Amino acid sequence: MKTTRNLSRRSFLKSTAAAAAAAPFVLPSRIWSAEVKPNGRIALGFIGMGTQNRGLLAGFLGKKETQAIAVCDVDTNRRENAKKTVEEHYAKQSENGAYKGCAAYSDFRELIGRKDIDAVVIATPDHWHAFISIAAANAKKDIYCEKPLCQSIHESQSMVRAVRKNNVVFQTGSMQRSSKEFRTACELVRNGLIGKIKNVEVAVGGPGVPCDLPTEMDEPGLEWDLWLGPAPKRGYHSELSPRGVHKHFPNWRRYREYGGGMVTDWGAHHFDIAQWGLGMDESGPAEIFPAGDPKATQGVRYTYANGVEVLHKDGNGVWFYGAEGKIYVNRGKFELWKGTEQKAGSANDCDKVAAEYLADARIHLYKSEDHKGDWLACIRSRKPPICDVEVGARTVNVCQLVNLAYYHGQKMKWDPKKERFVDGAGKDEWLDVPHRDPWKVG
């Protein structure tokens, strides 16, 4: 089923202004000309063409129900490379071996302003996620946005409101929920196979640090001020935005101004699995405890209202400890113990374990084997996908609370229903990050 949405220039400007009244949404007149939509396909625009979105683009290009018609990046080389990738792909499918139907933009607002784009795929640095997602939601575009969802608890709340208000389909890119080993682990926990859960350990790297990089010489072809956007003004450094079509994941994610260290980067995966396994997708911690050493990069703990404790430690993976056993899960890894007896030692055992222990299970979790395909199916059905915006928001809030415990070294009390600090343990100003004018998140 094709979902068509038509927005006038006036309605687009009005809707996006609701999310960011001060931002300059004056768009070039050329983008309002008539455009032809691909027949019967979901028209996609891609924003941020680094390593992650190149992978997503390749995946969506392989799906017959979609057509990529626009790409956006502040780096000329990445932008033109993405355009070339799209056009070469469709040229191979054309009768005459030619295709020139992919537009390339340096400013995401031009892409979002196009009437013929149904949905956007966002894989910019984290500090842009909230603003671009809210603008896209207000333009009635369905959204696939990479994890972690955003930079602050306030941003996550604003994103949820925008998505709900505009009734768009939002998939958070926490794709571990579409992997068998993680779903199996969480179903086993939820069905009580290892008994009452006592504690969980989430192993990811440390918190973010302030950016102290020196300024390097600007290079032509990069709109550096637009790369920074809502983040503080500073000089260019190649560690933040390596020039050209690089194949690694840049280190901007290490710095608090643009990411949240591995606590948010990998935490958006593994804390997410802890939330899923504990049945806390609509809730969150009640108390958060700092590490004993103010310089520590592991050791923060938090507890839920039911008493289950989660510990952040170094490493990679998730451990669930129950009264009758334990489960370890990571990408391609799955281990199960009943008591002291090991029942499974690898991800290859998932089907065997599921057949033995989950055939008559009381709880079956949402099953997705293709994160991108799940989003596309939900665009057609208009149902929430496996990692809806609120799921992503709850998970990133956990990550942010863990980081705040490292940043401020204080115990915090949290009301997960109202999403606010209580009993004077935590400060309201910690709920958000600074946004440089004119980029504001309402």
Side-chain angles (χ1 to χ4, degrees):
M1 184 180 89
K2 184 76 168 95
T3 302
T4 303
R5 303 180 180 88
N6 293 316
L7 284 177
S8 69
R9 181 177 188 274
R10 179 176 297 176
S11 65
F12 174 71
L13 295 177
K14 181 178 179 181
S15 63
T16 49
F25 278 102
V26 179
L27 304 177
S29 60
R30 66 180 183 276
I31 72 169
W32 302 106
S33 59
E35 291 145 340
V36 179
K37 299 171 75 67
N39 185 25
R41 295 184 176 185
I42 299 170
L44 298 179
F46 294 78
I47 303 173
M49 299 314 304
T51 302
Q52 183 64 20
N53 220 359
R54 289 200 303 276
L56 292 171
L57 174 61
F60 283 112
L61 285 174
K63 296 184 179 298
K64 295 181 179 179
E65 66 267 45
T66 69
Q67 184 143 353
I69 65 173
V71 296
C72 175
D73 199 282
V74 295
D75 181 282
T76 302
N77 294 328
R78 291 194 290 268
R79 181 169 67 248
E80 292 303 318
N81 179 74
K83 173 182 170 69
K84 179 182 178 183
T85 298
V86 172
E87 294 186 339
E88 287 183 347
H89 174 83
Y90 292 128
K92 292 177 182 178
Q93 302 176 6
S94 67
E95 294 182 359
N96 62 2
Y99 181 84
K100 296 296 180 184
C102 182
Y105 303 102
S106 61
D107 191 322
F108 71 92
R109 292 166 293 183
E110 297 187 55
L111 185 150
I112 288 175
R114 286 180 56 148
K115 299 176 186 179
D116 59 343
I117 289 179
D118 298 309
V120 296
V121 181
I122 303 167
T124 62
D126 302 348
H127 68 282
W128 266 117
H129 286 182
F131 195 96
I132 297 175
S133 293
I134 291 170
N138 286 335
K140 309 298 183 186
K141 312 297 185 187
D142 294 319
I143 301 162
Y144 185 111
C145 182
E146 266 306 329
K147 43 57 62 186
L149 192 73
C150 57
Q151 278 285 83
S152 74
I153 292 168
H154 170 73
E155 287 186 351
S156 74
Q157 295 167 338
S158 297
M159 292 172 75
V160 171
R161 286 195 298 268
V163 169
R164 296 291 181 253
K165 175 184 175 182
N166 292 287
N167 194 31
V168 298
V169 175
F170 189 110
Q171 178 82 296
T172 310
S174 298
M175 47 69 172
Q176 287 184 169
R177 292 206 179 204
S178 294
S179 295
K180 181 191 300 183
E181 60 268 31
F182 293 101
R183 184 181 68 254
T184 301
C186 290
E187 281 195 359
L188 292 170
V189 171
R190 295 279 286 273
N191 282 283
L193 183 71
I194 60 173
K196 183 178 180 180
I197 299 300
K198 297 179 176 180
N199 61 292
V200 180
E201 294 178 353
V202 173
V204 296
V209 299
C211 185
D212 59 354
L213 295 171
T215 296
E216 294 179 347
M217 183 71 69
D218 286 355
E219 296 182 36
L222 172 67
E223 296 191 35
W224 176 241
D225 193 66
L226 192 54
W227 187 95
L228 288 171
K233 181 76 172 177
R234 61 149 290 138
Y236 170 75
H237 194 284
S238 55
E239 187 172 325
L240 301 176
S241 183
R243 293 307 315 282
V245 185
H246 51 79
K247 296 182 179 180
H248 65 286
F249 293 97
N251 209 26
W252 53 258
R253 64 201 70 237
R254 177 172 184 261
Y255 300 106
R256 290 174 58 173
E257 294 84 349
Y258 322 107
M262 292 299 105
V263 168
T264 58
D265 191 69
W266 265 97
H269 288 305
H270 288 339
F271 284 114
D272 184 62
I273 296 306
Q275 285 273 105
W276 202 21
L278 295 173
M280 291 295 172
D281 279 348
E282 297 179 359
S283 187
E287 292 186 282
I288 306 93
F289 304 89
D293 182 352
K295 296 182 180 180
T297 58
Q298 57 181 306
V300 164
R301 299 174 293 115
Y302 62 85
T303 57
Y304 294 95
N306 63 6
V308 174
E309 179 182 277
V310 178
L311 170 69
H312 167 235
K313 68 177 188 178
D314 196 21
N316 198 283
V318 185
W319 286 259
F320 293 95
Y321 294 94
E324 301 170 20
K326 63 182 179 180
I327 292 172
Y328 166 70
V329 64
N330 202 348
R331 294 185 186 181
K333 299 179 181 179
F334 173 82
E335 299 173 7
L336 165 66
W337 287 263
K338 284 284 290 176
T340 59
E341 182 181 0
Q342 187 169 5
K343 296 288 186 177
S346 76
N348 293 330
D349 295 327
C350 283
D351 288 338
K352 178 186 70 175
V353 168
E356 182 175 356
Y357 295 110
L358 294 172
D360 299 316
R362 179 176 55 86
I363 298 173
H364 286 288
L365 299 177
Y366 188 126
K367 185 177 181 179
S368 163
E369 296 177 344
D370 179 352
H371 212 61
K372 295 181 287 294
D374 177 65
W375 178 54
L376 297 176
C378 290
I379 288 176
R380 294 188 292 272
S381 70
R382 310 313 296 168
K383 295 179 180 179
I386 190 169
C387 207
D388 172 60
V389 64
E390 194 157 1
V391 173
R394 291 289 184 174
T395 290
V396 82
N397 287 351
V398 169
C399 298
Q400 301 296 356
L401 289 168
V402 169
N403 262 345
L404 289 172
Y406 285 114
Y407 298 160
H408 302 289
Q410 297 182 25
K411 175 183 175 181
M412 295 170 284
K413 291 188 177 181
W414 183 250
D415 183 333
K417 184 176 181 180
K418 296 181 179 179
E419 293 183 299
R420 68 184 188 190
F421 294 115
V422 294
D423 297 338
K427 298 180 180 180
D428 288 344
E429 56 261 36
W430 297 350
L431 298 178
D432 205 3
V433 294
H435 297 95
R436 186 166 61 110
D437 288 337
W439 310 102
K440 299 294 182 183
V441 174

